[in-house]
Amino acid sequence: VRVIDVDNANVAGISGVFNIVGNLNLTSPTGSPREHWVAGTSYNITWTSSAVNTVKAYYSLDGGLTWTLINSAPGVGGTMAWPIADLQQVSNNAKIKVTDQDNESVVSSISPLAFDIIASFDITAPESGVLVVAKDSYTITWTLKGTGVNNVILEYTTDGGTSWNYV
């Protein structure tokens, strides 16, 4: 950069060499209000950017100590779909980071607060309309999306969900 006095060209100053870099701001997820992203579902990671050609997105399950690459996308698009894997480890301390692919150590933005990656259950038996006879044995089955769920509680309701009883 050079600055020159309009009235006297002999009065000038020149800066040293510097770099102009882009700017990124992650807009989702931010963790506020607390977000719950479900394994096996796709969510949009969004950002605003200036002078960034390609954005790389990463996720962390440990609050930002370690990062795993999700994908890359054009910087101007401002959106990247993240199809969270069915077998994704669950976490209550997840964060997203976006970086400028050409200047990752300088241009980045991270979720300010943690969000949750949670599991989901799909009850496969009994299904809607199936008759279950009181005091008869019945096998309850489900599929799980997300890993890290070690124990479950089985409950049933007879009043549409107002109260629940242990199986």
Side-chain angles (χ1 to χ4, degrees), residues 13 22 48 144:
T48 58
L144 170 67

Side-chain angles (χ1 to χ4, degrees), residues 140-155:
I140 300 169
T141 60
W142 63 88
T143 58
L144 170 67
K145 291 183 181 175
T147 62
V149 176
N150 299 318
N151 298 296
V152 298
I153 297 171
L154 294 177
E155 297 176 315

